Amino acid sequence: MTLVLIMASCKNKDDRMLTVINADGTCSREYTFHSTQQWLSIPPEEDYDSIVDKTWERSWSVLGADSVRYPVPLTEAQLDSMQAQDLSKPLGNMLMVHVKKDYKSVEEMSAQIYRAERSHLVKVEGIKASSQLEKHFKWFYTDYTFTETFANEDSTLFPIPLSQFLSADTASFWFTGQPNLTRSLSGAEMKEMLDGIEKKVSQWSNANWFAEICKVISDHYDKVKNPPVSKERFISICDSLVMLPCVLNPKDSESVEEGFDLLHDVFQSDVYTEFLQSYEGGLGQYGGLLSFGNNYDLVMPGRVLDAGMGEYDGEVIHYRLGGERMIPGDYTITATSRVTNVWAFIVTILVVLLAIGSFFYRRKS
């Protein structure tokens, strides 16, 4: 299945994005990703790349060896010491860089979303993030609720809507895990349900793949040599083919060749196949969306009351974040925490003591 293959190939499980929310409304975001000896040798007074300039805090660590972070730059002595160790992987695969930037507000932070690519940060295209931090003062406590919503801005990315194959709840469950539709199901019942959903998702993916093949041809129809039908007729026929069983359920593991064969059989011509084989542009324009993804960690001020869809380990809330989670709709990360207002307890105790003292003073007088 094309979409599954793209999703599986675009993620690096070692990449992390850490968001820290402070009680005064300021925040910071730190990206952790693989780096190289050359990039870690750059001193802190110089820019790391076109995004991470010298205003970012930088440090580095060795993946799997320990959790200690070291200031940049990586020195020759440190490199020699690491090379002398018996690491389970080549050193080039173990160097991690941590880049951190402070922001005055969560809105400012979400306006700048990045992802790691080849030891660098790049701006995320086609995805918009928006954040909000709410404070609820309750005298003895202040509750904080942080939300960050990620949305796919390209509404034309999947021309064949998912709703033609799955209900809204089922689609959301498949891509985000919510709502949990497997509750009270046995293992056998769960597998049967998941197999059925996977088949529908595969059909939806294959339909979009075929639609994209046809769109590439129609967008470059002037480059097709001696087409058997007009461009308008070609588009009309393709629209009627996209839901055929041979498109939705191809015999091979991928639907590309099936799509080529179908075009040949319908139009009794090789011109479209020849064009596609010579086409130098890319097929599968889902990469921008599906390549976005990090392990999303969140630190809230005070004690966490609600981690939403995340898992709280006592210090950090861990979420899963990826472009595929935005396929059914906007994807929101949310958490609520509580900060104890120590001063409010002190003031309350003083007021009570003053009231008691005033009461006894009046009685004596």
Side-chain angles (χ1 to χ4, degrees):
M1 181 177 127
T2 303
L3 183 59
V4 170
L5 292 175
I6 295 175
M7 289 166 57
S9 64
C10 291
K11 302 297 174 61
N12 191 320
K13 62 182 178 62
D14 299 324
D15 294 346
R16 309 199 76 84
M17 182 167 69
L18 170 65
T19 300
V20 177
I21 307 299
N22 301 314
D24 62 359
T26 62
C27 54
S28 66
R29 177 156 280 168
E30 179 185 84
Y31 295 89
T32 296
F33 51 95
H34 285 273
S35 187
T36 66
Q37 172 191 347
Q38 290 73 22
W39 288 104
L40 292 180
S41 299
I42 299 175
E45 61 271 14
E46 296 182 14
D47 296 345
Y48 180 88
D49 56 24
S50 59
I51 291 177
V52 182
D53 57 29
K54 52 182 170 289
T55 63
W56 291 63
E57 294 181 28
R58 301 203 306 262
S59 60
W60 64 272
S61 65
V62 179
L63 179 66
D66 53 45
S67 59
V68 178
R69 295 189 179 186
Y70 306 90
V72 294
L74 168 65
T75 66
E76 289 292 336
Q78 289 172 322
L79 185 63
D80 292 341
S81 175
M82 287 186 294
Q83 289 176 332
Q85 298 178 20
D86 183 20
L87 298 176
S88 60
K89 296 181 180 179
L91 184 59
N93 298 330
M94 305 293 286
L95 295 175
M96 306 295 293
V97 64
H98 313 274
V99 296
K100 175 185 174 184
K101 189 169 187 177
D102 297 325
Y103 297 92
K104 296 179 180 179
S105 67
V106 296
E107 292 82 5
E108 180 187 5
M109 175 183 67
S110 287
Q112 305 175 41
I113 295 295
Y114 307 106
R115 65 177 177 84
E117 182 178 285
R118 298 177 182 176
S119 302
H120 297 283
L121 285 188
V122 297
K123 192 176 187 318
V124 174
E125 302 293 344
I127 295 175
K128 181 180 180 181
S130 57
S131 291
Q132 184 177 13
L133 179 62
E134 297 180 353
K135 296 182 182 180
H136 300 282
F137 177 69
K138 301 179 179 180
W139 185 245
F140 292 113
Y141 309 96
T142 300
D143 288 347
Y144 294 81
T145 298
F146 170 72
T147 60
E148 185 162 23
T149 300
F150 299 86
N152 170 31
E153 293 187 296
D154 188 356
S155 59
T156 65
L157 190 60
F158 300 105
I160 311 301
L162 188 55
S163 58
Q164 290 187 215
F165 298 83
L166 297 171
S167 68
D169 281 351
T170 303
S172 178
F173 165 71
W174 182 259
F175 288 103
T176 72
Q178 297 292 329
N180 184 7
L181 303 182
T182 63
R183 188 176 304 165
S184 77
L185 294 182
S186 67
E189 292 169 337
M190 189 183 304
K191 182 181 185 304
E192 181 181 3
M193 185 189 74
L194 295 177
D195 288 345
I197 298 175
E198 183 180 27
K199 181 178 179 180
K200 291 294 185 181
V201 173
S202 295
Q203 292 175 340
W204 166 76
S205 174
N206 292 331
N208 276 282
W209 188 260
F210 181 78
E212 183 174 355
I213 290 175
C214 294
K215 185 177 186 303
V216 167
I217 295 174
S218 62
D219 287 347
H220 302 85
Y221 211 73
D222 57 330
K223 297 181 180 179
V224 177
K225 298 179 180 179
N226 302 317
V229 296
S230 67
K231 176 180 178 179
E232 292 73 17
R233 179 62 177 161
F234 174 80
I235 294 174
S236 176
I237 293 176
C238 282
D239 289 342
S240 67
L241 299 176
V242 72
M243 298 299 287
L244 288 180
C246 60
V247 172
L248 301 181
N249 304 295
K251 298 176 182 178
D252 299 329
S253 59
E254 296 185 32
S255 61
V256 179
E257 295 299 331
E258 290 282 329
F260 289 5
D261 293 342
L262 178 60
L263 292 176
H264 173 271
D265 294 342
V266 169
F267 295 100
Q268 293 296 300
S269 175
D270 291 326
V271 295
Y272 301 121
T273 301
E274 292 172 355
F275 165 76
L276 289 170
Q277 290 174 341
S278 63
Y279 177 63
E280 296 182 354
L283 289 172
Q285 303 305 315
Y286 320 121
L289 174 67
L290 300 179
S291 63
F292 174 68
N294 295 282
N295 293 299
Y296 187 112
D297 295 338
L298 175 64
V299 174
M300 294 288 291
R303 178 172 59 92
V304 172
L305 301 179
D306 184 0
M309 291 187 289
E311 296 182 2
Y312 184 49
D313 65 7
E315 295 182 0
V316 181
I317 310 174
H318 305 281
Y319 300 89
R320 295 180 181 273
L321 175 63
E324 73 279 358
R325 293 175 182 258
M326 300 168 218
I327 290 176
D330 296 353
Y331 183 71
T332 299
I333 283 172
T334 184
T336 299
S337 66
R338 172 170 290 176
V339 173
T340 301
N341 298 323
V342 177
W343 60 267
F345 284 92
I346 295 174
V347 170
T348 301
I349 292 172
L350 289 176
V351 170
V352 171
L353 291 176
L354 287 173
I356 294 173
S358 176
F359 172 76
F360 283 108
Y361 177 77
R362 287 196 301 269
R363 290 193 62 180
K364 290 181 179 180
S365 59

